[in-house]
Each structure stands twice: as structure tokens, then as C-alpha cells.
Amino acid sequence: MRREFCDPRADWAQIIESQGLAYHRTSHPEHLRRPYWDESVHYVFPMDEVLALESVVEELHQMCLAAVEHVVSTGRYDVFGIPPWVRPLIEASWRRRDPHLYGRFDLRYDGEGPAKLLEYNADTPTALVESSIIQWYWLQDVYPGDDQWNSVHERLVDRWKQIAPPSPVHFAWTTEDETGEELMTVAYLQETAEQAGVRARAIAMEDVGWHSLKERFVDLDEAEIHTLCKLYPWEWIVAEPFGRQVPRAAWIEPIWKMLLSNKALLVVLWELYPDHPNLLPAFLGTPSTLTSYVRKPLLGREGASMSIVTPEGVRTTTTGEYGAEGFVYQELCPLPDFDGEHPVLGAWVVGDESAGLGIRETSGLITDDTSSFVPHRIDD
């Protein structure tokens, strides 16, 4: 794994906007000199390294599924801060094996030691368009003879063919997101479903209605919503007035993924697989024996409400309003340094298979909304 510099395409901004990354300006703080999409640098991997990472990702995914089975079998929902009335819904969904679509592992990796799991974004992962589409077309334009760890699009289409219901699927985003990132991400998911032959309809979450007589979710035309593919966190859904009506529709992602999108998963994994080479020690509510650690809210996003503590007393804290449900303490494993930048590998899973890679860089210690997305290639 190495970092290389290259010349950006002359009209790169217009190119990526035409390909769907219309939010690269709006989702990135305006005061930053470095753009969100940065093709002046990229990472290069040999094929054997990618194959090894693929194996790690699929093993981690299977470990996470085993963690779900453990929580459901033992009833350890308190660790996750999940309301009691939601727990039977998670168990029923898991026992039915309600189908799941995709997720993204965030990994710490420097090309030398083993990759370390930082977290699993298994419910509402973003950076999908840039990982699947934008960097692929960059590769074709700039390094057409090379390859890329990227079968995300094809695997999404194939997965839809496996799980597609006979009725239409509604694709929902929230109008609360003013950047347009969630709308474009959901639109892309809808496109992959339509390529698989799925009948699809778009709807904002705020426009999802409840028909009290039919006891069904409906859209603005009062058509029944049989299946809802949403980019809207489950913890928000169950807190809504209609949350208790969740069993009246099928959901993608299914409600059992509440256990994988919660950072208490890191604690359960460490208990089930102590000293696993791809895990970091993690504890609930206390640093335990850790002398350097990252405190993460169970349901935080974009690096918000986090703290880093070192033995020397150095402390870095990010702002945010997360943490009401509690915190996990994960051993600090500083991100690697490449030319003063610190990459996090976002490894995609579609179904139960590894599907691709997206990389975000930050000059700080925590990956947040100031980070940039950079492409990669395989030089074999």
C-alpha cells in the first residue's frame, strides 16, 4: 500500500458532478482548501494485498453475524441501549433472516500490520456513490490499464435480484439533509434495483404516511408501501410516532441491523473473539485497563462527540450531541501517516461478500466531515 501524487483531470469537478457526485461542494465545509473529492493523490495496492484484505472483511462480517446471534440468543440488548419494546422485533426479524443489502467496515490499515476494525456502518453507510461509480470512472480515464477493488455496482444489482420482492420497493431519504448526499445515495440505490428489474418509487421519509383504516404505510398517492429501502437510522425510526407499526412493512436494511450499526458491537466482538488480530480491545462505559483510548458514542456519526485520550494526558474532543445512550471505549490505534494525511479504509460488503474499497483521508486524528475522499488502484 502506497500513496502517490498525480495530476487531476482538467475538468474533474464537472465530470464527477455529471456522474452523480453533485454534493461534493455542499457536504464539505466551505473554508477548507482541500476538496472533498481529491484526485491529486491516490493509493496503490498490489493484488495480493487486496485479496488478503477481502478475506479479512468477509471474516469480520461473519463474526458480526455471529455477534447478532449471540445477542438475540442471550438477550443482551441492554448493552446496546435498545428500548425493550423493540427487542422482540429484532429477534423476529433475525429469526426470519430478513434479507440485508450492504454495509461498510471502517478499517485502520498501514500496509504492514493487520487491518483493525474501527467500526461497522451497517445500517446507513454513505460514500457509496464515490466508492462505486466516481472512482471507477477516474480509473478508466487516468489509469485504464490498471484494476480496482470495486465490484460494488455489479454486486448490488445481483443482490437485488436475490432479495427483490414481487411488489414495488419505495426508496426513502430525509429532507433534513440539505447537502443532497442522502438523496443522491438513495437515487443510486434505486438505480441499481431498477437494473435488477425491481419496480421502484422514490419518497421522502417525511412523506411516508400511515393509513389508520388499512393499518398500512402509504405514499403520497396512498399506494401501500410494502418494502421501504431507507437511508434513515433505525434509532430514529423507532423513536417516531409510527415506530411501533414497523412490522407492517418490510425494511431494507432490516431492523436486526440495529445491532450492527451500534458501536456496542465492538464490545461484544472483543468478548467473543478476544485478541483477534483484526479487533481492538473495547469496553462499555469504562476504559477498563486501557491507558490510551477513543471514547465513542454508541450511535454517533461523522466523528462527532468523540474523545481521544493518551497516557500523557493529551486529549482531543470533537463537538456533537451524541452519547445519550452511552459510550464505548476502544483502544487507541492511531491512523497511519502518509505524507501527513491519515487514511481510513472503507471496505464494502454487499450481501455477505466483500465488494470494494473507498478511502477517506484526514489531517487530524478523527475522520469527520472535513475529510476528503481519494481514489485507489491495483497496479498488477
Side-chain angles (χ1 to χ4, degrees), residues 41-84:
V41 295
H42 64 277
Y43 283 83
V44 186
F45 298 82
M47 181 60 79
D48 60 347
E49 194 170 19
V50 169
L51 294 176
L53 286 168
E54 283 187 324
S55 178
V56 167
V57 168
E58 294 191 353
E59 180 180 4
L60 285 172
H61 177 68
Q62 291 302 319
M63 290 162 57
C64 288
L65 296 181
V68 175
E69 175 62 31
H70 167 76
V71 173
V72 171
S73 298
T74 61
R76 294 188 62 196
Y77 297 101
D78 285 342
V79 176
F80 294 79
I82 292 174

mmCIF file of all heavy atoms in Angstrom, residues 41-84:
data_model
loop_
_atom_site.group_PDB
_atom_site.id
_atom_site.type_symbol
_atom_site.label_atom_id
_atom_site.label_comp_id
_atom_site.label_asym_id
_atom_site.label_seq_id
_atom_site.Cartn_x
_atom_site.Cartn_y
_atom_site.Cartn_z
ATOM 1 N N VAL A 41 -4.155 12.897 -5.403
ATOM 2 C CA VAL A 41 -3.448 11.779 -4.786
ATOM 3 C C VAL A 41 -4.315 10.531 -4.918
ATOM 4 O O VAL A 41 -5.524 10.611 -5.145
ATOM 5 C CB VAL A 41 -3.140 12.040 -3.296
ATOM 6 C CG1 VAL A 41 -2.175 13.196 -3.143
ATOM 7 C CG2 VAL A 41 -4.424 12.305 -2.519
ATOM 8 N N HIS A 42 -3.683 9.390 -4.766
ATOM 9 C CA HIS A 42 -4.432 8.137 -4.728
ATOM 10 C C HIS A 42 -3.560 7.078 -4.067
ATOM 11 O O HIS A 42 -2.352 7.275 -3.889
ATOM 12 C CB HIS A 42 -4.860 7.682 -6.131
ATOM 13 C CG HIS A 42 -3.721 7.344 -7.039
ATOM 14 N ND1 HIS A 42 -3.032 8.298 -7.754
ATOM 15 C CD2 HIS A 42 -3.129 6.161 -7.340
ATOM 16 C CE1 HIS A 42 -2.082 7.727 -8.467
ATOM 17 N NE2 HIS A 42 -2.114 6.424 -8.230
ATOM 18 N N TYR A 43 -4.179 5.976 -3.701
ATOM 19 C CA TYR A 43 -3.447 4.871 -3.088
ATOM 20 C C TYR A 43 -3.327 3.731 -4.078
ATOM 21 O O TYR A 43 -4.224 3.495 -4.908
ATOM 22 C CB TYR A 43 -4.145 4.405 -1.812
ATOM 23 C CG TYR A 43 -3.903 5.340 -0.647
ATOM 24 C CD1 TYR A 43 -4.683 6.487 -0.480
ATOM 25 C CD2 TYR A 43 -2.882 5.100 0.265
ATOM 26 C CE1 TYR A 43 -4.448 7.359 0.561
ATOM 27 C CE2 TYR A 43 -2.638 5.969 1.319
ATOM 28 C CZ TYR A 43 -3.423 7.094 1.460
ATOM 29 O OH TYR A 43 -3.185 7.961 2.487
ATOM 30 N N VAL A 44 -2.198 3.018 -3.971
ATOM 31 C CA VAL A 44 -1.892 1.919 -4.885
ATOM 32 C C VAL A 44 -1.695 0.648 -4.060
ATOM 33 O O VAL A 44 -0.982 0.654 -3.050
ATOM 34 C CB VAL A 44 -0.628 2.213 -5.715
ATOM 35 C CG1 VAL A 44 -0.417 1.118 -6.757
ATOM 36 C CG2 VAL A 44 -0.722 3.579 -6.375
ATOM 37 N N PHE A 45 -2.339 -0.433 -4.486
ATOM 38 C CA PHE A 45 -2.247 -1.718 -3.807
ATOM 39 C C PHE A 45 -1.800 -2.799 -4.786
ATOM 40 O O PHE A 45 -2.243 -2.802 -5.940
ATOM 41 C CB PHE A 45 -3.610 -2.139 -3.241
ATOM 42 C CG PHE A 45 -4.184 -1.218 -2.211
ATOM 43 C CD1 PHE A 45 -4.875 -0.068 -2.583
ATOM 44 C CD2 PHE A 45 -4.057 -1.499 -0.864
ATOM 45 C CE1 PHE A 45 -5.415 0.782 -1.633
ATOM 46 C CE2 PHE A 45 -4.601 -0.656 0.105
ATOM 47 C CZ PHE A 45 -5.278 0.492 -0.285
ATOM 48 N N PRO A 46 -0.984 -3.735 -4.347
ATOM 49 C CA PRO A 46 -0.772 -4.947 -5.141
ATOM 50 C C PRO A 46 -1.964 -5.886 -4.959
ATOM 51 O O PRO A 46 -2.669 -5.820 -3.943
ATOM 52 C CB PRO A 46 0.505 -5.538 -4.556
ATOM 53 C CG PRO A 46 0.521 -5.065 -3.136
ATOM 54 C CD PRO A 46 -0.135 -3.706 -3.142
ATOM 55 N N MET A 47 -2.185 -6.756 -5.929
ATOM 56 C CA MET A 47 -3.358 -7.630 -5.894
ATOM 57 C C MET A 47 -3.368 -8.545 -4.681
ATOM 58 O O MET A 47 -4.427 -8.779 -4.071
ATOM 59 C CB MET A 47 -3.443 -8.459 -7.167
ATOM 60 C CG MET A 47 -4.654 -9.380 -7.231
ATOM 61 S SD MET A 47 -6.235 -8.479 -7.152
ATOM 62 C CE MET A 47 -6.340 -7.890 -8.846
ATOM 63 N N ASP A 48 -2.204 -9.071 -4.278
ATOM 64 C CA ASP A 48 -2.205 -9.999 -3.146
ATOM 65 C C ASP A 48 -2.642 -9.307 -1.855
ATOM 66 O O ASP A 48 -3.262 -9.909 -0.979
ATOM 67 C CB ASP A 48 -0.846 -10.662 -2.983
ATOM 68 C CG ASP A 48 0.286 -9.668 -2.740
ATOM 69 O OD1 ASP A 48 0.080 -8.456 -2.927
ATOM 70 O OD2 ASP A 48 1.390 -10.125 -2.384
ATOM 71 N N GLU A 49 -2.336 -8.012 -1.742
ATOM 72 C CA GLU A 49 -2.765 -7.264 -0.565
ATOM 73 C C GLU A 49 -4.278 -7.098 -0.558
ATOM 74 O O GLU A 49 -4.932 -7.236 0.490
ATOM 75 C CB GLU A 49 -2.073 -5.904 -0.560
ATOM 76 C CG GLU A 49 -2.146 -5.157 0.751
ATOM 77 C CD GLU A 49 -1.249 -3.932 0.762
ATOM 78 O OE1 GLU A 49 -0.852 -3.457 -0.320
ATOM 79 O OE2 GLU A 49 -0.960 -3.441 1.852
ATOM 80 N N VAL A 50 -4.847 -6.823 -1.722
ATOM 81 C CA VAL A 50 -6.297 -6.680 -1.823
ATOM 82 C C VAL A 50 -6.991 -7.998 -1.501
ATOM 83 O O VAL A 50 -7.990 -8.031 -0.769
ATOM 84 C CB VAL A 50 -6.688 -6.184 -3.230
ATOM 85 C CG1 VAL A 50 -8.197 -6.288 -3.440
ATOM 86 C CG2 VAL A 50 -6.236 -4.745 -3.428
ATOM 87 N N LEU A 51 -6.472 -9.088 -2.012
ATOM 88 C CA LEU A 51 -7.083 -10.393 -1.744
ATOM 89 C C LEU A 51 -7.043 -10.714 -0.256
ATOM 90 O O LEU A 51 -8.000 -11.271 0.300
ATOM 91 C CB LEU A 51 -6.369 -11.483 -2.548
ATOM 92 C CG LEU A 51 -6.519 -11.384 -4.075
ATOM 93 C CD1 LEU A 51 -5.684 -12.464 -4.755
ATOM 94 C CD2 LEU A 51 -7.978 -11.503 -4.487
ATOM 95 N N ALA A 52 -5.945 -10.350 0.405
ATOM 96 C CA ALA A 52 -5.845 -10.584 1.844
ATOM 97 C C ALA A 52 -6.854 -9.730 2.605
ATOM 98 O O ALA A 52 -7.499 -10.198 3.558
ATOM 99 C CB ALA A 52 -4.423 -10.299 2.318
ATOM 100 N N LEU A 53 -7.012 -8.474 2.188
ATOM 101 C CA LEU A 53 -7.982 -7.597 2.841
ATOM 102 C C LEU A 53 -9.409 -8.076 2.604
ATOM 103 O O LEU A 53 -10.262 -7.996 3.501
ATOM 104 C CB LEU A 53 -7.815 -6.165 2.342
ATOM 105 C CG LEU A 53 -6.588 -5.407 2.871
ATOM 106 C CD1 LEU A 53 -6.373 -4.123 2.081
ATOM 107 C CD2 LEU A 53 -6.747 -5.103 4.361
ATOM 108 N N GLU A 54 -9.696 -8.561 1.417
ATOM 109 C CA GLU A 54 -11.026 -9.120 1.136
ATOM 110 C C GLU A 54 -11.346 -10.250 2.104
ATOM 111 O O GLU A 54 -12.463 -10.343 2.620
ATOM 112 C CB GLU A 54 -11.094 -9.628 -0.295
ATOM 113 C CG GLU A 54 -11.261 -8.554 -1.342
ATOM 114 C CD GLU A 54 -11.503 -9.137 -2.720
ATOM 115 O OE1 GLU A 54 -10.906 -10.188 -3.034
ATOM 116 O OE2 GLU A 54 -12.304 -8.557 -3.464
ATOM 117 N N SER A 55 -10.371 -11.111 2.347
ATOM 118 C CA SER A 55 -10.573 -12.229 3.266
ATOM 119 C C SER A 55 -10.852 -11.733 4.676
ATOM 120 O O SER A 55 -11.732 -12.255 5.379
ATOM 121 C CB SER A 55 -9.334 -13.131 3.254
ATOM 122 O OG SER A 55 -9.487 -14.202 4.163
ATOM 123 N N VAL A 56 -10.133 -10.687 5.099
ATOM 124 C CA VAL A 56 -10.350 -10.105 6.428
ATOM 125 C C VAL A 56 -11.772 -9.558 6.545
ATOM 126 O O VAL A 56 -12.463 -9.778 7.545
ATOM 127 C CB VAL A 56 -9.315 -8.994 6.699
ATOM 128 C CG1 VAL A 56 -9.717 -8.173 7.922
ATOM 129 C CG2 VAL A 56 -7.935 -9.595 6.890
ATOM 130 N N VAL A 57 -12.204 -8.842 5.515
ATOM 131 C CA VAL A 57 -13.529 -8.221 5.539
ATOM 132 C C VAL A 57 -14.620 -9.274 5.653
ATOM 133 O O VAL A 57 -15.565 -9.134 6.439
ATOM 134 C CB VAL A 57 -13.725 -7.349 4.286
ATOM 135 C CG1 VAL A 57 -15.183 -6.927 4.137
ATOM 136 C CG2 VAL A 57 -12.826 -6.123 4.351
ATOM 137 N N GLU A 58 -14.516 -10.335 4.890
ATOM 138 C CA GLU A 58 -15.555 -11.367 4.939
ATOM 139 C C GLU A 58 -15.538 -12.100 6.275
ATOM 140 O O GLU A 58 -16.595 -12.490 6.786
ATOM 141 C CB GLU A 58 -15.388 -12.312 3.761
ATOM 142 C CG GLU A 58 -15.647 -11.612 2.424
ATOM 143 C CD GLU A 58 -15.762 -12.555 1.256
ATOM 144 O OE1 GLU A 58 -15.518 -13.771 1.431
ATOM 145 O OE2 GLU A 58 -16.110 -12.070 0.149
ATOM 146 N N GLU A 59 -14.347 -12.286 6.858
ATOM 147 C CA GLU A 59 -14.288 -12.905 8.185
ATOM 148 C C GLU A 59 -14.925 -11.991 9.230
ATOM 149 O O GLU A 59 -15.697 -12.450 10.085
ATOM 150 C CB GLU A 59 -12.840 -13.206 8.572
ATOM 151 C CG GLU A 59 -12.724 -13.857 9.944
ATOM 152 C CD GLU A 59 -11.301 -14.164 10.352
ATOM 153 O OE1 GLU A 59 -10.366 -13.811 9.594
ATOM 154 O OE2 GLU A 59 -11.107 -14.751 11.430
ATOM 155 N N LEU A 60 -14.626 -10.691 9.172
ATOM 156 C CA LEU A 60 -15.234 -9.748 10.109
ATOM 157 C C LEU A 60 -16.751 -9.741 9.975
ATOM 158 O O LEU A 60 -17.476 -9.685 10.981
ATOM 159 C CB LEU A 60 -14.681 -8.345 9.875
ATOM 160 C CG LEU A 60 -13.256 -8.071 10.365
ATOM 161 C CD1 LEU A 60 -12.782 -6.703 9.884
ATOM 162 C CD2 LEU A 60 -13.177 -8.145 11.886
ATOM 163 N N HIS A 61 -17.239 -9.795 8.739
ATOM 164 C CA HIS A 61 -18.688 -9.794 8.538
ATOM 165 C C HIS A 61 -19.321 -11.029 9.172
ATOM 166 O O HIS A 61 -20.364 -10.930 9.831
ATOM 167 C CB HIS A 61 -18.997 -9.736 7.048
ATOM 168 C CG HIS A 61 -20.460 -9.798 6.737
ATOM 169 N ND1 HIS A 61 -21.339 -8.795 7.062
ATOM 170 C CD2 HIS A 61 -21.206 -10.775 6.151
ATOM 171 C CE1 HIS A 61 -22.562 -9.132 6.685
ATOM 172 N NE2 HIS A 61 -22.509 -10.328 6.138
ATOM 173 N N GLN A 62 -18.717 -12.192 9.000
ATOM 174 C CA GLN A 62 -19.254 -13.411 9.606
ATOM 175 C C GLN A 62 -19.191 -13.342 11.131
ATOM 176 O O GLN A 62 -20.103 -13.817 11.820
ATOM 177 C CB GLN A 62 -18.490 -14.633 9.089
ATOM 178 C CG GLN A 62 -18.743 -14.941 7.622
ATOM 179 C CD GLN A 62 -20.221 -15.171 7.308
ATOM 180 O OE1 GLN A 62 -20.942 -15.838 8.091
ATOM 181 N NE2 GLN A 62 -20.691 -14.633 6.209
ATOM 182 N N MET A 63 -18.150 -12.737 11.660
ATOM 183 C CA MET A 63 -18.061 -12.536 13.110
ATOM 184 C C MET A 63 -19.183 -11.634 13.600
ATOM 185 O O MET A 63 -19.758 -11.856 14.679
ATOM 186 C CB MET A 63 -16.695 -11.953 13.460
ATOM 187 C CG MET A 63 -15.547 -12.929 13.272
ATOM 188 S SD MET A 63 -13.912 -12.130 13.177
ATOM 189 C CE MET A 63 -13.844 -11.230 14.716
ATOM 190 N N CYS A 64 -19.518 -10.616 12.812
ATOM 191 C CA CYS A 64 -20.603 -9.704 13.194
ATOM 192 C C CYS A 64 -21.950 -10.423 13.191
ATOM 193 O O CYS A 64 -22.787 -10.202 14.074
ATOM 194 C CB CYS A 64 -20.634 -8.508 12.247
ATOM 195 S SG CYS A 64 -19.255 -7.356 12.482
ATOM 196 N N LEU A 65 -22.169 -11.275 12.203
ATOM 197 C CA LEU A 65 -23.412 -12.053 12.179
ATOM 198 C C LEU A 65 -23.484 -12.988 13.388
ATOM 199 O O LEU A 65 -24.562 -13.169 13.983
ATOM 200 C CB LEU A 65 -23.508 -12.844 10.879
ATOM 201 C CG LEU A 65 -23.597 -12.033 9.580
ATOM 202 C CD1 LEU A 65 -23.723 -12.963 8.383
ATOM 203 C CD2 LEU A 65 -24.754 -11.047 9.613
ATOM 204 N N ALA A 66 -22.355 -13.571 13.753
ATOM 205 C CA ALA A 66 -22.322 -14.419 14.948
ATOM 206 C C ALA A 66 -22.618 -13.590 16.199
ATOM 207 O O ALA A 66 -23.253 -14.082 17.146
ATOM 208 C CB ALA A 66 -20.962 -15.104 15.065
ATOM 209 N N ALA A 67 -22.182 -12.326 16.208
ATOM 210 C CA ALA A 67 -22.471 -11.450 17.344
ATOM 211 C C ALA A 67 -23.968 -11.166 17.450
ATOM 212 O O ALA A 67 -24.516 -11.088 18.558
ATOM 213 C CB ALA A 67 -21.685 -10.147 17.213
ATOM 214 N N VAL A 68 -24.630 -11.001 16.307
ATOM 215 C CA VAL A 68 -26.086 -10.806 16.322
ATOM 216 C C VAL A 68 -26.763 -12.031 16.932
ATOM 217 O O VAL A 68 -27.651 -11.907 17.798
ATOM 218 C CB VAL A 68 -26.623 -10.540 14.905
ATOM 219 C CG1 VAL A 68 -28.150 -10.467 14.927
ATOM 220 C CG2 VAL A 68 -26.045 -9.249 14.339
ATOM 221 N N GLU A 69 -26.359 -13.215 16.493
ATOM 222 C CA GLU A 69 -26.937 -14.448 17.036
ATOM 223 C C GLU A 69 -26.707 -14.521 18.544
ATOM 224 O O GLU A 69 -27.616 -14.902 19.303
ATOM 225 C CB GLU A 69 -26.321 -15.656 16.346
ATOM 226 C CG GLU A 69 -26.755 -17.003 16.917
ATOM 227 C CD GLU A 69 -28.248 -17.251 16.791
ATOM 228 O OE1 GLU A 69 -28.874 -16.759 15.817
ATOM 229 O OE2 GLU A 69 -28.807 -17.943 17.677
ATOM 230 N N HIS A 70 -25.531 -14.131 18.981
ATOM 231 C CA HIS A 70 -25.225 -14.148 20.414
ATOM 232 C C HIS A 70 -26.153 -13.212 21.190
ATOM 233 O O HIS A 70 -26.707 -13.605 22.229
ATOM 234 C CB HIS A 70 -23.762 -13.723 20.623
ATOM 235 C CG HIS A 70 -23.426 -13.405 22.045
ATOM 236 N ND1 HIS A 70 -23.230 -14.371 23.008
ATOM 237 C CD2 HIS A 70 -23.278 -12.199 22.684
ATOM 238 C CE1 HIS A 70 -22.968 -13.799 24.172
ATOM 239 N NE2 HIS A 70 -22.992 -12.480 23.999
ATOM 240 N N VAL A 71 -26.328 -11.995 20.697
ATOM 241 C CA VAL A 71 -27.162 -11.020 21.411
ATOM 242 C C VAL A 71 -28.615 -11.476 21.441
ATOM 243 O O VAL A 71 -29.282 -11.411 22.478
ATOM 244 C CB VAL A 71 -27.041 -9.633 20.752
ATOM 245 C CG1 VAL A 71 -28.039 -8.655 21.370
ATOM 246 C CG2 VAL A 71 -25.623 -9.089 20.892
ATOM 247 N N VAL A 72 -29.117 -11.962 20.309
ATOM 248 C CA VAL A 72 -30.503 -12.412 20.252
ATOM 249 C C VAL A 72 -30.715 -13.622 21.162
ATOM 250 O O VAL A 72 -31.725 -13.720 21.870
ATOM 251 C CB VAL A 72 -30.896 -12.737 18.795
ATOM 252 C CG1 VAL A 72 -32.265 -13.425 18.751
ATOM 253 C CG2 VAL A 72 -30.911 -11.471 17.950
ATOM 254 N N SER A 73 -29.754 -14.538 21.179
ATOM 255 C CA SER A 73 -29.899 -15.762 21.983
ATOM 256 C C SER A 73 -29.795 -15.494 23.472
ATOM 257 O O SER A 73 -30.461 -16.161 24.280
ATOM 258 C CB SER A 73 -28.829 -16.778 21.564
ATOM 259 O OG SER A 73 -28.976 -17.147 20.217
ATOM 260 N N THR A 74 -28.962 -14.524 23.838
ATOM 261 C CA THR A 74 -28.746 -14.248 25.261
ATOM 262 C C THR A 74 -29.579 -13.083 25.772
ATOM 263 O O THR A 74 -29.657 -12.862 26.989
ATOM 264 C CB THR A 74 -27.262 -13.945 25.530
ATOM 265 O OG1 THR A 74 -26.873 -12.785 24.770
ATOM 266 C CG2 THR A 74 -26.392 -15.128 25.114
ATOM 267 N N GLY A 75 -30.188 -12.309 24.871
ATOM 268 C CA GLY A 75 -30.990 -11.163 25.277
ATOM 269 C C GLY A 75 -30.179 -10.001 25.805
ATOM 270 O O GLY A 75 -30.673 -9.213 26.626
ATOM 271 N N ARG A 76 -28.965 -9.814 25.311
ATOM 272 C CA ARG A 76 -28.080 -8.767 25.836
ATOM 273 C C ARG A 76 -28.346 -7.403 25.177
ATOM 274 O O ARG A 76 -27.420 -6.675 24.819
ATOM 275 C CB ARG A 76 -26.615 -9.162 25.632
ATOM 276 C CG ARG A 76 -26.168 -10.364 26.428
ATOM 277 C CD ARG A 76 -24.675 -10.541 26.304
ATOM 278 N NE ARG A 76 -23.946 -9.380 26.846
ATOM 279 C CZ ARG A 76 -22.656 -9.149 26.586
ATOM 280 N NH1 ARG A 76 -21.985 -9.947 25.765
ATOM 281 N NH2 ARG A 76 -22.065 -8.099 27.105
ATOM 282 N N TYR A 77 -29.583 -7.043 25.038
ATOM 283 C CA TYR A 77 -29.931 -5.792 24.365
ATOM 284 C C TYR A 77 -29.585 -4.555 25.197
ATOM 285 O O TYR A 77 -29.409 -3.465 24.650
ATOM 286 C CB TYR A 77 -31.421 -5.773 24.038
ATOM 287 C CG TYR A 77 -31.843 -6.860 23.078
ATOM 288 C CD1 TYR A 77 -32.466 -8.017 23.533
ATOM 289 C CD2 TYR A 77 -31.634 -6.736 21.711
ATOM 290 C CE1 TYR A 77 -32.868 -9.013 22.660
ATOM 291 C CE2 TYR A 77 -32.032 -7.724 20.827
ATOM 292 C CZ TYR A 77 -32.646 -8.865 21.304
ATOM 293 O OH TYR A 77 -33.033 -9.841 20.433
ATOM 294 N N ASP A 78 -29.483 -4.726 26.518
ATOM 295 C CA ASP A 78 -29.170 -3.578 27.369
ATOM 296 C C ASP A 78 -27.836 -2.945 26.981
ATOM 297 O O ASP A 78 -27.660 -1.726 27.103
ATOM 298 C CB ASP A 78 -29.135 -3.994 28.837
ATOM 299 C CG ASP A 78 -30.523 -4.221 29.417
ATOM 300 O OD1 ASP A 78 -31.492 -3.731 28.807
ATOM 301 O OD2 ASP A 78 -30.637 -4.903 30.448
ATOM 302 N N VAL A 79 -26.905 -3.756 26.535
ATOM 303 C CA VAL A 79 -25.593 -3.251 26.138
ATOM 304 C C VAL A 79 -25.731 -2.221 25.021
ATOM 305 O O VAL A 79 -24.956 -1.277 24.926
ATOM 306 C CB VAL A 79 -24.693 -4.419 25.680
ATOM 307 C CG1 VAL A 79 -23.353 -3.908 25.156
ATOM 308 C CG2 VAL A 79 -24.476 -5.401 26.827
ATOM 309 N N PHE A 80 -26.756 -2.380 24.197
ATOM 310 C CA PHE A 80 -26.941 -1.537 23.025
ATOM 311 C C PHE A 80 -27.883 -0.356 23.277
ATOM 312 O O PHE A 80 -28.099 0.452 22.379
ATOM 313 C CB PHE A 80 -27.478 -2.380 21.866
ATOM 314 C CG PHE A 80 -26.513 -3.420 21.373
ATOM 315 C CD1 PHE A 80 -26.339 -4.616 22.052
ATOM 316 C CD2 PHE A 80 -25.767 -3.206 20.226
ATOM 317 C CE1 PHE A 80 -25.439 -5.578 21.602
ATOM 318 C CE2 PHE A 80 -24.871 -4.147 19.769
ATOM 319 C CZ PHE A 80 -24.707 -5.336 20.470
ATOM 320 N N GLY A 81 -28.474 -0.301 24.466
ATOM 321 C CA GLY A 81 -29.396 0.784 24.765
ATOM 322 C C GLY A 81 -30.658 0.742 23.936
ATOM 323 O O GLY A 81 -31.266 1.781 23.644
ATOM 324 N N ILE A 82 -31.102 -0.443 23.555
ATOM 325 C CA ILE A 82 -32.277 -0.592 22.696
ATOM 326 C C ILE A 82 -33.538 -0.705 23.549
ATOM 327 O O ILE A 82 -33.574 -1.482 24.513
ATOM 328 C CB ILE A 82 -32.123 -1.827 21.791
ATOM 329 C CG1 ILE A 82 -30.991 -1.574 20.780
ATOM 330 C CG2 ILE A 82 -33.422 -2.158 21.066
ATOM 331 C CD1 ILE A 82 -30.650 -2.771 19.934
ATOM 332 N N PRO A 83 -34.581 0.074 23.250
ATOM 333 C CA PRO A 83 -35.805 0.040 24.052
ATOM 334 C C PRO A 83 -36.380 -1.375 24.148
ATOM 335 O O PRO A 83 -36.331 -2.141 23.171
ATOM 336 C CB PRO A 83 -36.756 0.968 23.289
ATOM 337 C CG PRO A 83 -35.860 1.875 22.499
ATOM 338 C CD PRO A 83 -34.666 1.047 22.135
ATOM 339 N N PRO A 84 -36.942 -1.744 25.292
ATOM 340 C CA PRO A 84 -37.470 -3.103 25.479
ATOM 341 C C PRO A 84 -38.492 -3.515 24.429
ATOM 342 O O PRO A 84 -38.498 -4.683 23.992
ATOM 343 C CB PRO A 84 -38.085 -3.054 26.880
ATOM 344 C CG PRO A 84 -37.278 -2.010 27.588
ATOM 345 C CD PRO A 84 -36.972 -0.972 26.557
#
